[in-house]
Amino acid sequence: MDQKKYELEINSAKTLDELSQLEIKYLGRNGQINKLLSEIKNVPNEEKREYGQKVNLLKTEIKKYIEIRKLIVSKEKSEVFFDKTLPGKAYPKGSIHIVSYAIEEITKIFEKIGFIRVSYPEVDWEYGAFESLNMPSGHPARDDVETSFIDVPAHPNLGKMVLTPHTSNGQNREMKRVKTPPIRMINISKCYRPNWDPTHTPMFHQFEGLCVDSDISIVNLRGTLDYFAEKYFGKGTKTRLRPHHFQFTEPSFEVDISCNNCGGIGKYKGEKCRVCKSGWLELGGTGMVHPNVLREGGIDPSANSGWAFGFGIERVIMMKYGLDDIRNYYSGDIRFLEQF
Ligand code: DAH
């Protein structure tokens, strides 16, 4: 057998498949080596021994060439280490942030009953945050919400620039946008107040409802609050109103929802409920829109009435899932965020 020929053939093989074919061709049962061995019968007796040794040497050599070539080919093509049929590695999946998720849920709940989702500026003038809401400059009610002012020259008519402390700044803008009632607004936006503790972060979100039409009463407000409470917190959740004071509503209330942990009883398994302590949890502020606020928005209070509410998104999430520290929402800790 011509040495150059098999050497060349083996060394120019490019795949393991080609090498297997050569293995069969030379070393297989009907391969060339066996053929040479079978010819031993035609070799004169005294040469048989030498002939046999030569063929066996050739066999070992071909084997060696093939093994070496196999290693080279598999390294070059990584054929030994790459299995095309194995499933690929899955990329880690992200999850929607709890606040974004709650915003989506709340938007859907209100859109179902005809409310329009808007998002009014988080940087506004004093006029939007206070004046338009029946809080003239110097009014002590402004102190209730600690406000961050932006260090730019004040607007001649609208006052200083502020990071809005609540979404109520959307009320006046929405009245001026819609002009003629009915108005059904759900304004969801970022708000800012300089607090940092388990239930407050300096940046947070509120959702503000506003409904104005010719014959809107507290009955509509209660119905809407009950609808929201059941949809967001779960069936059977009740609401109650407690008298309160806000400059922009008259009368004003604070809304509570019945606690889902203890079913509104205040006791859980014979002990004081750990979540609410009293059977109720405070949701936020609400009331009938003050005539001055309607007037400021260009709406005639003698022909129209309305209600409004403002609730914290971080707060409702906390109430829904029984969380105890909203600072976790913004910690960037994936282990916390992945749970929702
Ligand atoms: N703006 C109030 C706050 O941030 C919440 C609020 C209370 C909004 C009563 C309203 C309302 O629309 O009617 O504390």
Side-chain angles (χ1 to χ4, degrees):
M1 204 186 319
D2 181 357
Q3 192 191 348
K4 283 280 159 287
K5 199 175 159 233
Y6 70 73
E7 205 184 316
L8 196 79
E9 220 175 349
I10 294 172
N11 284 342
S12 54
K14 299 242 168 342
T15 62
L16 293 178
D17 227 35
E18 275 176 59
L19 286 165
S20 313
Q21 296 303 322
L22 292 176
E23 220 168 3
I24 295 168
K25 177 176 170 184
Y26 290 108
L27 309 171
R29 195 140 52 95
N30 300 317
Q32 297 195 6
I33 293 290
N34 275 351
K35 227 181 253 165
L36 288 176
L37 282 176
S38 67
E39 271 163 29
I40 206 163
K41 55 183 184 287
N42 307 323
V43 176
N45 272 348
E46 61 277 19
E47 288 172 27
K48 270 191 172 52
R49 190 183 149 87
E50 197 187 336
Y51 179 86
Q53 276 177 346
K54 263 193 186 161
V55 176
N56 272 327
L57 200 71
L58 190 66
K59 187 178 172 182
T60 334
E61 211 156 49
I62 292 177
K63 249 189 189 165
K64 208 166 69 193
Y65 272 110
I66 290 180
E67 285 315 305
I68 291 172
R69 187 66 194 160
K70 263 188 187 172
L71 278 178
I72 293 170
V73 166
S74 59
K75 264 208 187 123
E76 273 172 6
K77 302 268 173 185
S78 296
E79 284 187 27
V80 163
F81 309 105
F82 178 65
D83 180 351
K84 286 187 269 198
T85 64
L86 280 178
K89 266 190 200 162
Y91 285 102
K93 251 194 227 156
S95 59
I96 190 161
H97 191 272
I98 25 167
V99 171
S100 308
Y101 183 63
I103 290 175
E104 266 179 30
E105 274 188 299
I106 292 164
T107 304
K108 274 196 202 127
I109 291 172
F110 282 99
E111 277 179 351
K112 259 202 181 130
I113 52 168
F115 279 68
I116 291 170
R117 159 86 197 275
V118 291
S119 189
Y120 282 123
E122 50 192 277
V123 178
D124 206 348
W125 302 101
E126 275 180 297
Y127 171 81
F130 302 115
E131 244 109 324
S132 70
L133 292 164
N134 197 32
M135 285 187 270
S137 76
H139 196 285
R142 288 193 181 199
D143 298 342
D144 293 349
V145 277
E146 292 163 88
T147 307
S148 301
F149 292 92
I150 294 177
D151 195 10
V152 292
H155 187 284
N157 307 320
L158 306 176
K160 291 187 216 153
M161 195 183 270
V162 298
L163 291 179
T164 191
H166 53 188
T167 43
S168 305
N169 69 327
Q171 292 193 18
N172 184 267
R173 286 177 187 269
E174 184 67 357
M175 289 181 207
K176 287 178 175 161
R177 183 185 75 84
V178 178
K179 294 191 181 81
T180 30
I183 295 172
R184 289 191 204 93
M185 167 193 91
I186 189 79
N187 172 31
I188 309 183
S189 180
K190 288 194 177 104
C191 306
Y192 300 84
R193 293 184 199 179
N195 300 315
W196 179 257
D197 61 46
T199 54
H200 298 91
T201 49
M203 183 283 296
F204 60 102
H205 299 74
Q206 281 190 344
F207 58 114
E208 183 96 8
L210 175 69
C211 179
V212 181
D213 207 347
S214 51
D215 56 356
I216 295 294
S217 71
I218 292 184
V219 177
N220 306 114
L221 170 62
R222 292 226 55 170
T224 311
L225 292 174
D226 283 344
Y227 161 78
F228 169 72
E230 283 227 325
K231 287 279 179 235
Y232 187 74
F233 294 105
K235 259 206 155 0
T237 309
K238 290 184 263 308
T239 65
R240 75 172 183 190
L241 299 180
R242 278 180 292 107
H244 198 73
H245 173 79
F246 296 105
Q247 276 298 112
F248 31 93
T249 39
E250 182 56 41
S252 303
F253 309 97
E254 277 193 326
V255 195
D256 295 334
I257 60 157
S258 58
C259 171
N260 279 340
N261 189 48
C262 63
I265 303 161
K267 280 197 169 157
Y268 186 70
K269 290 183 180 164
E271 304 216 345
K272 207 175 212 180
C273 175
R274 180 187 58 84
V275 177
C276 65
K277 298 187 179 83
S278 66
W280 296 91
L281 290 162
E282 187 191 317
L283 186 58
T286 186
M288 299 304 290
V289 181
H290 196 289
N292 288 350
V293 176
L294 290 174
R295 219 173 279 121
E296 194 63 37
I299 286 168
D300 178 5
S302 65
N304 295 284
S305 54
W307 53 250
F309 66 74
F311 305 147
I313 300 255
E314 283 81 353
R315 182 164 177 79
V316 295
I317 296 170
M318 187 173 195
M319 291 159 78
K320 181 167 175 162
Y321 300 105
L323 302 175
D324 57 8
D325 196 335
I326 69 170
R327 292 173 298 187
N328 286 326
Y329 303 5
Y330 302 110
S331 67
D333 186 337
I334 282 180
R335 290 167 307 170
F336 172 81
L337 296 169
E338 266 178 348
Q339 301 175 87
F340 303 95

